[in-house]
Amino acid sequence: MRSAVLAAWTASPARFREDANAEEDFALGGYRDRLIVELAQNAADAALRAGVPGRLRLSLRE
């Protein structure tokens, strides 16, 4: 597993930075203050990969 991770980081330095950022976020308390932003970004990324328009609908209720 270690070899595969090192190979992925070598092939994509951006992947290394993303993984390092994720570890830092986890160490600092995860996404507790960015949950909605992260969910919206994940949905936008999925729509882009699928080649479809994305739409965000957010409803806050008491």
Side-chain angles (χ1 to χ4, degrees):
M1 183 173 161
R2 182 177 296 161
S3 296
V5 170
L6 292 174
W9 288 345
T10 300
S12 176
R15 171 69 188 272
F16 173 78
R17 185 70 271 168
E18 290 170 0
D19 288 351
N21 288 344
E23 289 295 324
E24 181 181 26
D25 285 340
F26 182 70
L28 296 174
Y31 293 112
R32 72 174 176 258
D33 59 340
R34 296 178 35 107
L35 179 63
I36 293 173
V37 172
E38 289 298 323
L39 291 173
Q41 185 61 58
N42 290 349
D45 292 343
L48 183 64
R49 280 192 305 274
V52 298
R55 183 183 344 181
L56 174 66
R57 179 178 179 185
L58 177 65
S59 298
L60 299 175
R61 300 172 192 244
E62 287 189 66

